[in-house]
Amino acid sequence: MSGARDRLTDALYGLGWAAVKKLPEPVAAALGRTIADIAWKRRGKGVLRLEANLARVVPDAGAERLAELSKAGMRSYMRYWMESFRLPTWSQERAAQSFSAKDVHHLTDALASGKGVVVALPHLANWDVAGIWVTRALGVPFTTVAERLKPETLYDRFVAYRESLGMEVLPHSGGSAFGTLARRLRDGGLVCLVADRDLSASGVEVKFFGDTARMPAGPALLAQQTGALLVPVTLWYDESPVMKGRIHPPVEVPETGTRAEKTSSMTQALADAFATGIADHPEDWHMLQRLWLDDLEERRT
């Protein structure tokens, strides 16, 4: 049964990549909103988890406001997918006009330093749109890490898709990714990591919207080990087709403390930067999984 389900999942994603990119953009956008609204009305596990997460982000919101946010959140999430299916067809000009960010100088100055740059982002809006803007508008290739998906053929689709956008993609599992990332940074390269959810058992505990969550140590460790600059980035959508973003100032490596203490301090700084972007645009935070330790413990009991 699992094999049949995996084949069906892969086939559906394949259909999405093949079909959606051929639709006129307004039709694709309308289709995404329709799918989002159907999913929201069904109140499945993902929607309920999104709503529970948003309740922590907007603690004063009542049930009606949370419902509005989760509906907008599902529409934002489906916009991400509709855009992602279509990204490989975008021209150089479209890619250059797809993203507008505040304080871009934090990124361009960091790249010009030659020290290497680690960009860390939360699951806000569409990080692939930001990625294609970097590769095609700035002309800077970068390396990233992808979670291994099931079935393996689906993971292969994602890798091929991101590589077609100019990214080098490493598997999250296997243990060799960190060393490759460190080499890229020592050569003055750019590494981009989605870093608001820990996928290992070695994450760093942070305070996030008043409660404890765990986020990956990798971005802070890479910056310490290689001397690269660690730059948080937050993204959001508005009513225009151009995604917006903010490049935050680099997170400094503390001058004193153990490696663990420095890693904790830097990861907390990332969490704080992420929180500002998520609080300003909660409907664009695509976190449909458990994140806070209290919620993870609740699932285990």
Side-chain angles (χ1 to χ4, degrees), residues 21 31 47 52 55 99-100 108 114 124-125 166 172 194 223 245 259 262 275 296:
K21 66 183 179 183
L31 175 63
V47 173
F99 179 51
S100 175
T108 54
L124 272 171
H172 181 270
V194 180
R259 185 171 74 165
K262 291 178 180 180
L296 293 169

Side-chain angles (χ1 to χ4, degrees), residues 45-57:
K45 289 183 179 179
V47 173
L48 295 177
R49 175 47 47 192
L50 174 63
E51 217 161 88
N53 291 339
L54 289 171
R56 291 181 181 267
V57 174

Side-chain angles (χ1 to χ4, degrees), residues 79-163:
R79 176 173 171 176
Y80 159 80
W81 280 110
M82 292 297 112
E83 285 179 342
S84 295
F85 288 142
R86 297 171 61 81
L87 277 181
T89 68
W90 283 12
S91 66
Q92 189 88 2
E93 181 181 8
R94 174 67 192 276
Q97 297 173 352
S98 65
F99 179 51
S100 175
K102 299 178 181 178
D103 300 324
V104 174
H105 66 91
H106 289 310
L107 176 58
T108 54
D109 290 351
L111 290 169
S113 73
K115 297 179 180 180
V117 181
V118 181
V119 165
L121 311 91
H123 286 81
L124 272 171
N126 194 332
W127 42 99
D128 285 334
V129 167
I132 196 175
W133 177 81
V134 167
T135 60
R136 297 189 181 174
L138 297 185
V140 178
F142 66 87
T143 304
T144 190
V145 174
E147 179 183 1
R148 281 202 175 275
L149 302 170
K150 292 183 179 181
E152 190 75 14
T153 50
L154 179 57
Y155 171 77
D156 292 340
R157 284 184 188 274
F158 271 94
V159 170
Y161 152 66
R162 289 195 164 113
E163 287 179 343

Side-chain angles (χ1 to χ4, degrees), residues 49-70:
R49 175 47 47 192
L50 174 63
E51 217 161 88
N53 291 339
L54 289 171
R56 291 181 181 267
V57 174
V58 192
D60 296 333
E64 184 176 348
R65 173 59 176 153
L66 282 175
E68 291 173 354
L69 282 173
S70 66

